[in-house]
Amino acid sequence: MGSYVVDLNDIRRAAARIAPHVHRTPIITSQTLDALAGRSLFFKCENLQRCGAFKARGAVNAVLSLSDDQAARGVAANSSGNHGQALAYAARIRGIAAHIVMPSDAPIVKRHAVEGYGGRVYLCEPTLEAREETLATVLAKKNATRISGYNHPAIIAGQGTVALELLDQVNNLDALLVPIGGGGLISGVALAARGLNPRLRIFAAEPNGADDAYRSKSENRYIPSLDPQTIADGLLTSLGDLTWPVLRDCVEAVIRVKDDEILRAMRLLWERMKLVVEPSGATSLAAALSQEFAQLTDLGRVGVVLSGGNVDIDNLPFSRPGAIDSE
């Protein structure tokens, strides 16, 4: 294994730093979903985290790690929602400004949450290019400190605290299954898990319509996502130069799933476990129930990260007629 941007000690320091400001989220199990998966699944419920997603961990760690001079200028990021509201929350803790660039098609519930935490929202066209251009303009005008939602050492260290908790809460796991977008979560989780138990197997879950991680892993070279199309809006981002090496070296495989499989998983979580989980968060369950993952018969106990729960309840995807067959 090579050298990476953070290590287990960084993640442990992050855990101590953020502890007063984030939840230690619960583990929940389901006999019904175990039977469907053919193995024991242990769900790490980051949908119950502050701000409704794991992003609070990294954002709080990053903002509290800033120097006084950096913090005084405020922070800025582009985000489809979860990182934006987490950064606004973290900025409020420190009493500084947060400038969040959001695509115009981001779920309204996420925009309102950013504003509710005191962040200022700048809307842009829903393309990666427009998001970067708008953020560059905001950074130039406000002289704020940019905090990437995934490609940042303090963000990765903060997200790794998910694994510290999970492995403390559940013994003798064989594998972890984690959604992947920009890769901040799985990088932190993989580095923490490998530091604690090098034999633990790490798998990523990714939508078919935003499969740059799968393609990069398959070809052993970084391939950006140019036109991602998926209901999992939190997983649209391409990998970063800090997260790609961790995926390359520490993640065994990327399991791709279709949007209808994500919707089915989302509905199962609501119906069987009474858990509100957004499409990006349900992607890991969709992968756990996939035919590809079923072939890994030697994995009896799997930790599954449900990464977020910020659903626009006025636009539930499976409430539309014909969107998904009833269970």
Side-chain angles (χ1 to χ4, degrees), residues 20-274:
H21 308 290
V22 302
H23 295 314
R24 180 181 171 92
T25 53
I27 301 292
I28 299 181
T29 60
S30 165
Q31 293 182 347
T32 297
L33 297 187
D34 286 355
L36 288 173
R39 68 189 88 229
S40 297
L41 303 178
F42 299 86
F43 294 96
K44 180 61 169 166
C45 294
E46 288 297 294
N47 57 308
L48 302 178
Q49 185 53 262
R50 289 192 183 276
C51 307
F54 74 96
K55 294 282 191 177
R57 297 174 182 270
V60 171
N61 189 50
V63 170
L64 295 186
S65 298
L66 293 174
S67 68
D68 289 343
D69 178 65
Q70 290 172 318
R73 301 198 303 270
V75 292
N78 66 42
S79 169
S80 63
N82 284 347
H83 175 58
Q85 59 190 288
L87 193 60
Y89 166 68
R92 189 177 71 177
I93 291 172
R94 192 151 181 187
I96 62 176
H99 308 280
I100 311 300
V101 174
M102 301 186 71
S104 57
D105 62 351
I108 193 67
V109 64
K110 295 185 178 182
R111 176 181 171 184
H112 287 167
V114 171
E115 294 170 335
Y117 286 118
R120 180 174 176 182
V121 173
Y122 304 77
L123 295 179
C124 68
E125 291 300 310
T127 66
L128 296 176
E129 182 180 12
R131 289 168 66 164
E132 286 296 325
E133 289 178 351
T134 306
L135 179 59
T137 299
V138 171
L139 289 168
K141 288 183 177 180
K142 301 296 182 181
N143 195 29
T145 300
R146 180 175 185 173
I147 305 290
S148 166
Y150 57 96
N151 204 47
H152 188 293
I155 291 288
I156 293 170
Q159 317 309 24
T161 64
V162 170
L164 292 187
E165 289 182 10
L166 176 51
L167 297 180
D168 183 58
Q169 291 166 306
V170 185
N171 296 322
N172 302 316
L173 287 173
D174 299 307
L176 299 179
L177 186 52
V178 185
I180 189 167
L185 174 60
I186 200 166
S187 293
V189 165
L191 294 174
R194 290 300 181 90
L196 294 167
N197 179 5
R199 295 186 300 275
L200 196 62
R201 298 165 69 181
I202 312 296
F203 296 87
E206 184 175 50
N208 268 344
D211 66 346
D212 57 296
Y214 174 86
R215 291 182 288 114
S216 297
K217 182 78 173 172
S218 298
E219 298 190 26
N220 197 34
R221 64 185 181 92
Y222 170 66
I223 300 175
S225 181
L226 299 178
D227 186 29
Q229 300 290 332
T230 175
I231 192 172
D233 64 280
L235 304 181
L236 295 173
T237 310
S238 294
L239 296 165
D241 63 333
L242 302 183
T243 60
W244 158 238
V246 183
L247 171 70
R248 181 191 63 207
D249 301 343
C250 303
V251 175
E252 182 170 331
V254 180
I255 310 297
R256 292 185 297 178
V257 292
K258 300 175 182 177
D259 275 9
D260 61 352
E261 294 173 306
I262 295 172
L263 289 173
R264 177 174 180 259
M266 186 177 172
R267 182 166 183 162
L268 283 168
L269 288 163
W270 280 56
E271 289 185 343
R272 304 300 186 184
M273 298 178 68
K274 314 311 174 192

